[in-house]
Amino acid sequence: MRSAKVTRSKSRSRQSGLNLRVGHGWDSHRLVPGIPLMLGGVRVESELGAAGHSDGDCLLHALIDALLGALGRGDIGQWFPDSDARWRGADSRKFLEAVLRHPDLPDFRIVNVDMTVLLEKPKLGSSKAAISETLAGLLGVDTARVNLKAKTWEGIEPREPAIAAEVVLLLEIL
């Protein structure tokens, strides 16, 4: 059996000048009737929507947490607390835009984003491309850098209908 040769050289990464950071985000919401289901800034046809203080877009919330984590700047609840009435019903795209434009953050480049949504129904197959394109546009990256997967609860759904999202993001500090 052949084994791969692995090179670990600190001087090599210093020579390349790379300053890479990984961020991880996770969010979940109960699903309830009477409100739209927003996912990645896209309205998805569904009988149930995500209950939340803002628009309940758990994919954007997880993405923002991943971004803030990679930058070492806390979490979405610190930046946009649910105790602040300004954020009631807010469009989560505004949260992402505010973080991306914040003057106190270092310049960075998003290398890639990998996301998983956990949702029994509706199935997201027909919405995945629109969600990925919307997120790529919001992040200012090519769609090839944004990957979205949809999974089901596989019969172990919580007591109430729910949606969850997990995001891993890699960025380079410039």
Side-chain angles (χ1 to χ4, degrees):
M1 176 183 279
R2 290 179 33 182
S3 63
K5 182 177 179 183
V6 177
T7 303
R8 293 180 178 90
S9 171
K10 290 183 181 180
S11 63
R12 188 174 208 174
S13 65
R14 275 190 235 134
Q15 288 172 350
S16 69
L18 292 179
N19 186 357
L20 301 177
R21 306 274 181 91
V22 173
H24 174 263
W26 188 87
D27 193 34
S28 64
H29 289 273
R30 289 178 305 110
L31 293 174
V32 297
I35 56 176
L37 178 60
M38 297 302 297
L39 199 54
V42 173
R43 185 174 178 159
V44 175
E45 285 300 318
S46 176
E47 295 176 9
L48 303 175
H53 182 72
S54 65
D55 63 3
D57 191 327
C58 73
L59 186 55
L60 274 174
H61 298 173
L63 175 61
I64 293 164
D65 269 347
L67 179 59
L68 290 170
L71 293 167
R73 298 299 175 102
D75 63 46
I76 191 172
Q78 291 170 299
W79 283 60
F80 310 101
D82 62 7
S83 59
D84 189 332
R86 289 181 296 167
W87 312 128
R88 181 170 304 284
D91 183 336
S92 294
R93 292 176 294 190
K94 301 294 184 196
F95 297 159
L96 180 60
E97 290 168 1
V99 171
L100 290 172
R101 290 178 169 57
H102 198 279
D104 293 339
L105 295 179
D107 290 335
F108 60 88
R109 176 182 72 87
I110 294 177
V111 177
N112 78 303
V113 180
D114 189 33
M115 306 167 289
T116 303
V117 173
L118 188 57
L119 176 67
E120 196 62 35
K121 60 182 179 178
K123 302 294 184 203
L124 295 178
S126 62
S127 301
K128 285 170 48 176
I131 294 168
S132 294
E133 289 170 12
T134 297
L135 291 173
L138 290 169
L139 295 170
V141 300
D142 187 85
T143 55
R145 295 180 181 271
V146 177
N147 186 60
L148 175 62
K149 302 175 294 289
K151 303 292 182 185
T152 67
W153 293 100
E154 295 293 335
I156 55 168
E157 188 166 2
R159 289 178 294 225
E160 299 179 49
I163 185 171
E166 183 171 34
V167 175
V168 177
L169 172 141
L170 179 64
L171 61 79
E172 178 183 12
I173 303 294
L174 302 176

